[in-house]
């Protein structure tokens, strides 16, 4: 029985060693994966900070802006940051403005996100047209799904065709 007990102790010790080794490898692997991910993503926070700085600067109160759904991807060899922003005090459920920023450029694209109304005043036509062009730019940058601009522009064109100009239809 002495030989059996010795063998049982060695197997138990070996099993503990295998379990400890397995756990160590898993933790080490997770740590290395995290480190590799952090190294790969090392410049992303700088790109995002740069984008948020430029995008917020387009608003009357840059320090009062909050960002969400921010992502970075490449387009034609350039890094593009896409996301949404709104004022800190915006009510829950309100529309956030969509934005796109190409790294190294000073002029981000910011789309208001406002819905096309039933009627557009004559004095507001240029504002709506400019906003729709911004949505087209965001689509080209990959910040909104393909077809978003087309759908929005169709609604805008319909409303524009129904408006009265100088009291005449």
């Amino acid at each position: 029985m002495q030989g059996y007990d010795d063998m049982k102790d060695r197997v138990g010790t070996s099993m503990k060693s295998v379990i400890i080794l397995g756990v160590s490898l898993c933790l080490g692997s997770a740590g290395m994966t995290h480190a590799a991910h952090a190294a790969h993503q090392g410049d992303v926070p700088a790109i995002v900070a740069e984008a948020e700085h430029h995008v917020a600067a387009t608003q009357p109160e840059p320090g009062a802006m909050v960002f969400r759904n921010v992502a970075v991807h490449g387009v034609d060899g350039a890094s593009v940051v896409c996301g949404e922003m709104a004022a800190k005090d915006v009510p829950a459920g309100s529309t956030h403005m969509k934005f796109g920023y190409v790294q190294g450029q000073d002029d981000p694209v910011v789309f208001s996100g406002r819905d096309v109304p039933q009627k557009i005043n004559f004095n507001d036509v240029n504002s709506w047209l400019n906003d729709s062009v911004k949505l087209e730019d965001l689509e080209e940058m990959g910040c909104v799904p393909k077809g978003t601009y087309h759908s929005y522009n169709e609604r805008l064109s319909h409303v524009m065709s129904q408006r009265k100009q100088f009291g005449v239809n």
Side-chain angles (χ1 to χ4, degrees):
M1 277 311 242
Q2 180 66 26
Y4 176 75
D5 287 338
D6 287 341
M7 187 172 75
K8 190 170 106 180
D9 287 341
R10 278 186 264 152
V11 168
T13 303
S14 294
M15 288 301 287
K16 287 179 190 173
S17 297
V18 168
I19 291 171
I20 291 171
L21 177 64
V23 169
S24 297
L25 286 173
C26 287
L27 291 175
S29 174
M32 289 177 64
T33 302
H34 177 70
H37 179 70
H40 175 71
Q41 299 293 332
D43 61 336
V44 172
I47 293 170
V48 170
E50 177 184 331
E52 289 178 354
H53 171 75
H54 285 284
V55 171
T58 66
Q59 302 303 303
E61 294 184 46
M65 304 310 292
V66 293
F67 295 87
R68 70 177 190 187
N69 301 329
V70 178
V72 180
H73 66 274
V75 174
D76 297 331
S79 292
V80 176
V81 180
C82 301
E84 300 174 338
M85 75 169 172
K88 287 179 184 174
D89 58 359
V90 71
S94 294
T95 302
H96 283 63
M97 295 177 276
K98 296 186 182 312
F99 71 85
Y101 172 77
V102 177
Q103 185 179 19
Q105 296 192 359
D106 292 332
D107 54 344
V109 176
V110 180
F111 172 69
S112 70
R114 57 189 176 166
D115 289 328
V116 177
Q118 295 293 323
K119 293 182 180 179
I120 296 176
N121 292 328
F122 177 74
N123 294 336
D124 297 332
V125 169
N126 284 339
S127 169
W128 283 94
L129 292 174
N130 289 338
D131 213 27
S132 101
V133 169
K134 291 175 184 176
L135 183 60
E136 182 178 29
D137 291 344
L138 289 177
E139 186 173 311
E140 289 175 6
M141 295 169 82
C143 294
V144 296
K146 292 283 184 200
T148 302
Y149 166 73
H150 179 74
S151 173
Y152 186 86
N153 198 43
E154 278 186 354
R155 289 191 309 270
L156 183 59
S157 293
H158 176 74
V159 170
M160 296 284 221
S161 70
Q162 302 299 315
R163 70 181 174 79
K164 293 183 178 181
Q165 185 173 352
F166 303 114
V168 180
N169 214 8

